[in-house]
């Protein structure tokens, strides 16, 4: 129910915009995010809930690196 | 550190028995889909929490929705997940088969166009969800106000994650640590769990939904437990900020206020519901006090215990027999993110 999917913003027009989900273009509400064209946003029930800072693959690589410092320091 | 070492270390855990709760149904689905349970040592159990808003919606809510759908010139809009949830006697899907006006929506914003072009009809939206979904409704009310649309009403069963977690922490100390829901945390922020972690001395890991994300969170929680830590670690920083999405939180606060809410199978949890604030009550479709629960009176469904992690679905005598996704006795079997439904669909991967 709380699933949200990342897509790329290709057009913005105030509170609404168009987001590209791997070729599927969908109208999305941008009312609670500060998104620019080119940003990746996390979309839930037709509404962008956050601008993604990076993609999942990149994040996972960084987390592996961080875990080491997080748990080895003390 | 890489995935192999982490999986190896998790599998080699030999400390005291641990129970971790994954709060969110999307995590439960990811755990089963990716066969993560097979990686766990015998001393570690993953328990599915109350994180499926569809599963905790009371029967009285479904009945109220059906009541609207049966009125002339009235259309009830709902997410598809809600269609088969049993009410006292009927589900929305059965009511639709009998002629009630029920339509499935993909986004609540669809109603703007419909309501605008059919002013003689009343559109009632079944608003079910956690913090992830509430901003969607806030934005909708904003647009209803701006466009002067008065033929839309909201039947809300909106729930807040933190009071539910507080309830679990205060009534059931068996859970040692929590995998916090990724997308509700996008709105709430990882700092939102700090007080719970401190007050109840339980570690929290905010996690994304890829298999690696979940494995990393499990590893982090084991390490925290081993070191006696009870911190909140944000392991989904691509989508979750410590402070959350402030604009979204402000819009929630602008239109909604908290109050007691009934969780199916569990009971009433103080401050766990969100209701329209007074100036916007004109949009409300009778959402207050919907607290009757068919499960208690008429069926032996044990969803409440499943949701609180007290039993596994296969310990319910009806699981897989009287209760299957095609003929569900309880909401946990209906929803794609309900624990019973996930266990049933992935029963080969326990
Ligand atoms: S198996 Fe069915 S009846 Fe049993 S707890 Fe789950 S949903 Fe309820």
């Amino acid at each position: 129910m709380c699933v949200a999917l990342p897509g790329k913003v290709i057009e913005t027009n105030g509170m609404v915009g168009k987001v590209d989900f791997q070729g599927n273009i969908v109208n999305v509400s941008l009312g609670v995010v500060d998104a620019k064209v080119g940003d990746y946003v996390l979309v839930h029930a037709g509404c962008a809930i956050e601008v993604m800072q990076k993609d999942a693959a990149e994040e996972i690589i960084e987390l592996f690196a961080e875990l080491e410092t997080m748990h080895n320091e003390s | 550190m890489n995935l192999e070492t982490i999986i190896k270390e998790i599998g080699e855990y030999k400390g005291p028995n641990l129970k971790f709760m994954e709060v969110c149904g999307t995590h439960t689905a990811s755990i089963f889909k990716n066969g993560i349970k097979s990686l766990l040592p015998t001393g570690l159990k993953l328990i599915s929490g109350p994180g499926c808003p569809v599963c905790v919606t009371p029967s009285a809510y479904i009945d109220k929705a059906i009541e609207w759908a049966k009125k002339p010139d009235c259309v009830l809009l709902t997410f598809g997940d809600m269609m088969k949830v049993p009410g006292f006697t009927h589900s929305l899907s059965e009511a639709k088969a009998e002629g009630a006006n029920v339509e499935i929506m993909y986004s609540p914003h669809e109603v703007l166009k419909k309501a605008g072009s059919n002013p003689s009809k009343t559109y009632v939206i079944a608003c079910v969800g956690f913090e992830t979904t509430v901003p969607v409704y806030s934005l909708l009310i904003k647009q209803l106000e701006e466009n002067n649309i008065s033929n839309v009403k909201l039947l809300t069963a909106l729930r807040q994650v933190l009071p539910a977690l507080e309830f679990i922490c205060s009534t059931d100390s068996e859970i040692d640590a929590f995998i916090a829901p990724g997308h509700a945390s996008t709105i709430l922020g990882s700092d939102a769990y700090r007080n719970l972690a401190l007050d109840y001395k339980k570690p929290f890991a905010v996690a994304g939904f890829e298999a690696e994300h979940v494995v990393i969170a499990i590893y982090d929680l084991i390490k925290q437990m081993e070191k006696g830590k009870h911190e909140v670690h944000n392991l989904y920083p691509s989508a979750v900020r410590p402070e959350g999405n402030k604009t979204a939180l402000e819009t929630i606060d602008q239109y909604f206020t908290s109050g007691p809410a009934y969780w199916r199978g569990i009971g009433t949890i103080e401050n766990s519901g969100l209701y329209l604030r007074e100036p916007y009550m004109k949009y409300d479709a009778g959402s207050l006090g919907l607290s009757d629960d068919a499960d208690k009176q008429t069926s032996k469904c044990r969803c409440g215990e499943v949701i609180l992690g007290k039993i596994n679905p296969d310990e319910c005598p009806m699981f897989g027999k009287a209760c299957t996704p095609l003929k569900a006795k309880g909401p946990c079997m209906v929803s794609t993110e309900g624990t019973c439904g996930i266990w049933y669909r992935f029963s080969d991967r326990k």
Side-chain angles (χ1 to χ4, degrees):
Chain A
M1 170 88 208
C2 293
V3 183
L5 294 173
K8 189 177 182 176
V9 180
I10 54 166
E11 200 182 299
T12 62
N13 180 10
M15 287 243 300
V16 291
K18 287 194 191 306
V19 172
D20 180 349
F21 296 93
Q22 295 177 329
N24 258 338
I25 314 294
V26 175
N27 288 325
V28 162
S29 161
L30 299 173
V32 296
V33 292
D34 200 1
K36 307 181 295 299
V37 170
D39 284 346
Y40 278 83
V41 287
L42 209 46
V43 177
H44 167 72
C47 176
I49 56 168
E50 190 54 286
V51 178
M52 295 291 287
Q53 302 303 313
K54 50 183 94 117
D55 74 27
E58 204 183 317
E59 168 168 86
I60 286 162
I61 292 169
E62 286 180 22
L63 283 172
F64 283 137
E66 273 173 36
L67 277 184
E68 210 140 339
T69 30
M70 210 187 296
H71 293 293
N72 286 342
E73 63 206 8
S74 53
Chain B
M1 199 136 250
N2 57 35
L3 188 59
E4 284 72 41
T5 5
I6 289 184
I7 291 178
K8 194 164 163 275
E9 283 200 35
I10 292 178
E12 286 169 357
Y13 172 78
K14 289 203 178 56
N17 283 354
L18 294 175
K19 276 190 182 173
F20 294 169
M21 177 176 272
E22 88 275 1
V23 178
C24 166
T26 318
H27 276 142
T28 310
S30 169
I31 287 164
F32 274 84
K33 247 186 269 165
N34 295 302
I36 289 176
K37 290 211 170 174
S38 67
L39 311 174
L40 304 180
T42 41
L44 174 58
K45 274 216 163 74
L46 289 181
I47 308 283
S48 309
C52 162
V54 174
C55 301
V56 298
T57 303
S59 315
Y61 177 88
I62 303 294
D63 284 17
K64 189 84 180 175
I66 293 175
E67 195 183 306
W68 278 106
K70 283 186 174 163
K71 287 189 187 179
D73 288 326
C74 191
V75 181
L76 185 99
L77 298 174
T78 177
F79 288 123
D81 259 23
M82 291 294 294
M83 290 296 283
K84 292 214 166 77
V85 176
F88 274 101
T89 51
H90 278 65
S91 64
L92 282 166
S93 145
E94 286 160 343
K96 185 179 166 79
E98 287 176 6
N101 292 317
V102 181
E103 288 179 17
I104 293 180
M105 63 178 179
Y106 297 94
S107 163
H109 285 94
E110 291 161 26
V111 78
L112 292 166
K113 230 193 196 154
K114 295 191 186 206
S117 40
N118 298 295
S120 61
K121 285 193 173 170
T122 302
Y123 290 85
V124 177
I125 306 179
C127 304
V128 170
F130 290 135
E131 284 90 341
T132 324
T133 321
V134 184
V136 182
Y137 297 117
S138 301
L139 293 175
L140 177 68
I141 300 166
K142 188 172 176 187
Q143 282 185 298
L144 294 176
E145 292 270 288
E146 282 170 4
N147 296 302
N148 255 324
I149 299 177
S150 56
N151 55 330
V152 173
K153 289 194 179 293
L154 278 62
L155 184 62
T156 67
L158 301 169
R159 302 283 183 266
Q160 306 192 87
V161 168
L162 292 174
L165 288 178
E166 171 110 49
F167 177 84
I168 291 171
C169 287
S170 63
T171 52
D172 189 342
S173 52
E174 268 182 42
I175 308 294
D176 298 292
F178 291 90
I179 301 177
H183 292 140
S185 304
T186 298
I187 306 297
L188 289 167
S190 51
D191 283 350
Y193 305 99
R194 249 203 199 133
N195 287 342
L196 283 174
L198 278 177
D199 292 350
Y200 296 96
K201 301 206 170 22
K202 313 259 187 203
F204 279 76
V206 178
F209 298 95
E210 302 293 332
E212 291 91 338
H213 278 131
V214 179
V215 171
I216 286 171
I218 293 171
Y219 175 82
D220 175 71
L221 293 174
I222 291 179
K223 290 288 153 192
Q224 289 208 53
M225 291 299 298
E226 283 180 341
K227 293 194 176 130
K229 288 186 179 173
H230 38 84
E231 295 170 352
V232 180
H233 290 167
N234 180 5
L235 305 174
Y236 192 26
S238 63
V240 177
R241 286 182 270 176
E243 72 280 15
N245 181 335
K246 281 192 174 163
T247 316
L249 288 169
E250 277 162 22
T251 61
I252 295 179
D253 188 52
Q254 183 181 352
Y255 297 101
F256 295 94
T257 179
S258 44
Y262 190 88
W263 295 58
R264 188 164 183 145
I266 300 180
T268 300
I269 304 179
E270 280 314 310
N271 290 323
S272 66
L274 285 169
Y275 301 94
L276 286 167
R277 283 189 185 277
E278 195 41 58
Y280 310 104
M281 272 311 266
K282 60 183 180 210
Y283 296 111
D284 186 71
S287 316
L288 292 168
L290 297 176
S291 60
D292 294 327
D293 193 343
D295 304 336
K296 264 205 200 142
Q297 296 138 32
T298 56
S299 94
K300 296 192 185 67
C301 169
R302 296 179 67 184
C303 274
E305 289 161 274
V306 169
I307 288 167
L308 291 175
K310 293 194 193 297
I311 62 163
N312 282 330
D314 56 1
E315 292 171 58
C316 167
M318 290 198 276
F319 178 81
K321 297 181 189 106
C323 182
T324 66
L326 284 177
K327 190 87 197 79
K329 296 280 182 216
C332 292
M333 186 60 90
V334 175
S335 159
T336 44
E337 294 191 351
T339 311
C340 297
I342 296 172
W343 273 65
Y344 187 85
R345 274 179 282 125
F346 294 102
S347 51
D348 53 329
R349 298 195 202 173
K350 273 185 288 195

